[in-house]
Amino acid sequence: MNISNPSTPISLSIPGASLTVSPENLLITFDRPHRSLSTAIYGGGFRNIRFAMNRKLTAFYEREEDFPRGSVEAWLARCASDCGAVPEESAVLLTAAKVNLYSHKIIKAGPVLVEAITTGGVEKTACRASSSPLYREEEGKFRPLGTINMMVLLHGSLPDGIMARALITLTEGKTAALNDLGIADVNNGKPATGTGTDGITFITDPKAPRFTDAGPFSELGASLAKAAYESVTECIETFDHPWNASPLLTTPKAVDLEKLRKVSKKG
């Protein structure tokens, strides 16, 4: 867990990448374009980027048109520009969390190198996927944020479909962390799977070694899931001590597989 000085570039383990931290922004800068798949409001989808940002929402706006410059996207583009990033080459996530209270995890396994920069809190917006909705989306209406945001870097290249699979694996790692911590949906008390506004920016290097499997049994997938699990766990254990964490909801210990196999053979 890090609380870094504002505007001090930090060299990351991923070649050619650095991180700049301020009270409002986490900004990752690359020395050349990288391939990204992001859920970001600004710069989301499949894109080639040189900048990835996690931006703190510093004021609440009831409607999107109330944002500076008239929309969330336009405001985030301006935020990127103000930090020295090129908006057209940026993916910008949005959060209400304190971004300088972030988790930085590096996972190495064989040829795999994964780096995760995560922020998050679950006390106000933890939810369980499959629960009843709380609102109907209305054009222009802006909803409050809670948010677990992950910016995950891979020193490797992936086909687009495998990048999409990687987002599933990262989400599973996040959900496993919430289950092991006993985090409850704030509205119904059931085990939470995330918050209502989680985001991921996943970044790969087109010039790095190629991988073709991001499922959790693969070395790459296991590393991605571990990065998500450990960084989310650290954010919650270190800086967020939510009222909705309960030992009654924590994931039970795994069964003894050897005993299970013996019982199965006897049967």
Side-chain angles (χ1 to χ4, degrees), residues 165 168-170 172-173 213-225:
R165 180 63 179 90
I168 295 175
T169 300
L170 288 166
E172 290 173 342
D213 187 350
F217 273 175
S218 70
E219 196 167 45
L220 169 58
S223 299
L224 290 170

Side-chain angles (χ1 to χ4, degrees), residues 3-247:
I3 309 176
S4 301
N5 294 325
S7 303
T8 302
I10 302 167
S11 294
L12 299 179
S13 294
I14 297 295
S18 63
L19 173 69
T20 304
V21 182
S22 75
E24 293 82 26
N25 300 292
L26 295 175
L27 176 65
I28 297 173
T29 302
F30 296 96
D31 60 358
R32 55 182 169 77
H34 280 56
R35 186 67 169 159
S36 169
L37 174 58
S38 177
T39 64
I41 296 174
Y42 182 83
F46 282 105
R47 296 187 68 204
N48 293 325
I49 66 171
R50 287 199 304 119
F51 307 92
M53 179 184 286
N54 189 5
R55 167 72 189 192
K56 177 177 173 56
L57 182 67
T58 54
F60 174 71
Y61 304 98
E62 185 175 349
R63 301 189 67 82
E64 186 173 5
E65 63 192 27
D66 297 332
F67 273 78
R69 304 178 71 86
S71 73
V72 180
E73 285 193 76
W75 178 68
L76 291 177
R78 178 60 181 270
C79 291
S81 179
D82 288 347
C83 290
V86 179
E88 294 76 18
E89 297 180 277
S90 303
V92 187
L93 298 169
L94 185 60
T95 182
K98 295 179 180 180
V99 295
N100 61 328
L101 306 183
Y102 66 96
S103 175
H104 179 195
K105 294 295 180 183
I106 301 166
I107 307 297
K108 296 180 180 179
V112 175
L113 172 61
V114 174
E115 197 158 10
I117 309 293
T118 299
T119 61
V122 295
E123 187 168 55
K124 295 182 179 179
T125 57
C127 70
R128 179 178 178 82
S130 78
S131 294
S132 299
L134 298 180
Y135 59 84
R136 175 173 293 165
E137 183 182 5
E138 299 173 14
E139 182 67 26
K141 189 74 173 179
F142 188 76
R143 302 292 175 178
L145 300 175
T147 311
I148 295 169
N149 277 349
M150 295 185 285
M151 296 188 292
V152 182
L153 291 64
L154 169 67
H155 184 54
S157 62
L158 298 176
D160 284 356
I162 305 304
M163 288 185 70
R165 180 63 179 90
L167 259 63
I168 295 175
T169 300
L170 288 166
T171 300
E172 290 173 342
K174 172 197 68 180
T175 299
L178 296 180
N179 287 177
D180 286 355
L181 291 167
I183 303 301
D185 183 310
V186 296
N187 295 290
N188 58 37
K190 295 180 178 180
T193 56
T195 82
T197 51
D198 292 347
I200 300 176
T201 297
F202 178 51
I203 306 158
T204 64
D205 183 351
K207 295 185 178 181
R210 184 177 175 86
F211 298 93
T212 57
D213 187 350
F217 273 175
S218 70
E219 196 167 45
L220 169 58
S223 299
L224 290 170
K226 184 177 182 181
Y229 182 95
E230 291 188 357
S231 61
V232 169
T233 297
E234 186 173 33
C235 283
I236 295 171
E237 286 187 330
T238 305
F239 284 110
D240 188 39
H241 300 282
W243 61 265
N244 56 315
S246 169

